[in-house]
Amino acid sequence: MRIFDTHCHLDFAAFDDDRAQVIAAAQDLGVERFMLLGVAKQQFDRLINVSQDFSNSCYFSLGLHPYFIEQHEEHHLGALESYLEAILADTQTRCKAVGEIGLDVTCGKPELQQTLFKGQLKIAAEYQLPVILHHRKTLDELLKAVREASIQRGVVHAFSGSYEQAAAWADQGFKLGVGGTITYQRAKKTRDAISRIGAEHLVLETDAPDMPLCGYQGQRNEPKRVLEVLNSLSELLQTETNELADVLWKNSVELFN
């Protein structure tokens, strides 16, 4: 069984004391690959270095996350493009997407959020890269912008919408990121949408060190717990675990080329 944690933040300070052990613990359970996410220009070099330190398993994306809006300036779009231009010149690059990007109504500076998001969609289209999307009460707005930018490949991270929204994103060619949310029985809308959309539209993720699973509230999340997400998803879809894992692995590898 091969597993890809398509969304984790292993470069964050929460893992500074035991990063190698955390990765090894996940690998021991079959988690072979990890996608590390860009969130701010100031973090890009650190992110790239961590990915290089664990080049047998870690890939990365670069993006300007709305949660860190206070760190962003409009000219950081140019910096992002410069990084991508240099990195993608290497045919063996481990950079596989633009992300984590999106819109979040709980964060400030909505006009700057819009400028950065649309600018990053344009960059992703130019470099033919998938996008990894953060949303908070913005799923429909994001889909409109993605359609206008002709982006047809990416992930809706931590999907938490309705079945109708899930189907619309699947029609756009996007995968839905499935993480700890489905381990909570109270997440009825999300669990219903995920159960109905079909495994071919899903990928696994943890968002480690954030988004702890049910039973681990208040604890640091880790990539090894993606196995528990897989088990919950297997029960939800009433599908044999190994068979499901194969589908999700294929989805992830094809998504990130």
Side-chain angles (χ1 to χ4, degrees):
M1 186 164 62
R2 310 176 74 188
I3 297 172
F4 197 144
D5 183 350
T6 64
H7 196 115
C8 54
H9 298 278
L10 291 174
D11 63 297
F12 279 16
F15 297 109
D16 281 353
D17 292 336
D18 61 350
R19 186 171 290 111
Q21 294 93 322
V22 166
I23 291 173
Q27 289 176 319
D28 286 346
L29 296 175
V31 188
E32 292 188 15
R33 296 183 185 177
F34 311 84
M35 180 62 67
L36 281 52
L37 287 298
V39 297
K41 173 182 174 290
Q42 297 90 324
Q43 169 243 11
F44 290 171
D45 289 333
R46 175 186 175 91
L47 174 67
I48 293 167
N49 288 337
V50 170
S51 178
Q52 290 174 338
D53 288 343
F54 300 93
S55 59
N56 66 325
S57 58
C58 290
Y59 297 82
F60 69 94
S61 63
L62 295 179
L64 305 171
H65 191 313
Y67 187 80
F68 298 87
I69 192 67
E70 296 298 331
Q71 297 181 31
H72 305 330
E73 298 180 25
E74 188 172 340
H75 69 83
H76 289 177
L77 285 170
L80 171 62
E81 187 158 14
S82 295
Y83 268 89
L84 288 173
E85 184 177 6
I87 289 167
L88 296 175
D90 177 4
T91 57
Q92 302 299 313
T93 182
R94 307 190 73 75
C95 182
K96 298 297 180 180
V98 172
E100 180 176 354
I101 68 175
L103 299 171
D104 189 321
V105 298
T106 68
C107 300
K109 301 185 178 179
E111 290 185 8
L112 180 58
Q113 282 196 52
Q114 288 281 352
T115 297
L116 295 176
F117 179 56
K118 291 179 179 178
Q120 289 176 98
L121 290 181
K122 183 178 178 181
I123 290 170
E126 178 183 350
Y127 288 94
Q128 298 183 312
L129 291 170
V131 294
I132 301 172
L133 300 178
H134 169 91
H135 64 93
R136 192 162 289 158
K137 299 181 179 178
T138 54
L139 270 176
D140 296 336
E141 187 177 1
L142 291 179
L143 181 56
K144 181 175 183 290
V146 162
R147 285 172 172 164
E148 290 174 352
S150 299
I151 303 289
Q152 297 178 318
R153 195 160 53 104
V155 183
V156 182
H157 163 54
F159 179 81
S160 59
S162 66
Y163 169 72
E164 290 74 20
Q165 288 173 314
W169 280 103
D171 286 345
Q172 188 63 24
F174 273 63
K175 305 301 183 190
L176 309 180
V178 180
T181 299
I182 68 160
T183 66
Y184 293 85
Q185 292 295 324
R186 66 175 182 268
K188 292 184 170 74
K189 181 177 72 171
T190 301
R191 287 170 57 85
D192 174 69
I194 295 299
S195 70
R196 294 168 63 190
I197 196 61
E200 67 272 21
H201 301 299
L202 307 176
V203 293
L204 293 172
E205 58 180 31
T206 60
D207 202 26
D210 300 318
M211 292 186 67
L213 283 64
C214 183
Y216 298 96
Q217 295 93 321
Q219 299 181 35
R220 180 185 71 173
N221 197 6
E222 295 186 16
K224 69 181 181 182
R225 296 199 178 119
V226 77
L227 267 295
E228 297 183 47
V229 177
L230 173 62
N231 289 333
S232 292
L233 184 59
S234 177
E235 293 176 8
L236 194 60
L237 299 183
Q238 297 183 325
T239 304
E240 196 273 330
T241 305
N242 286 336
E243 178 184 333
L244 178 59
D246 288 343
V247 173
L248 300 174
W249 173 266
K250 181 174 178 286
N251 292 348
S252 305
V253 171
E254 288 180 352
L255 169 66
F256 295 124
N257 194 25

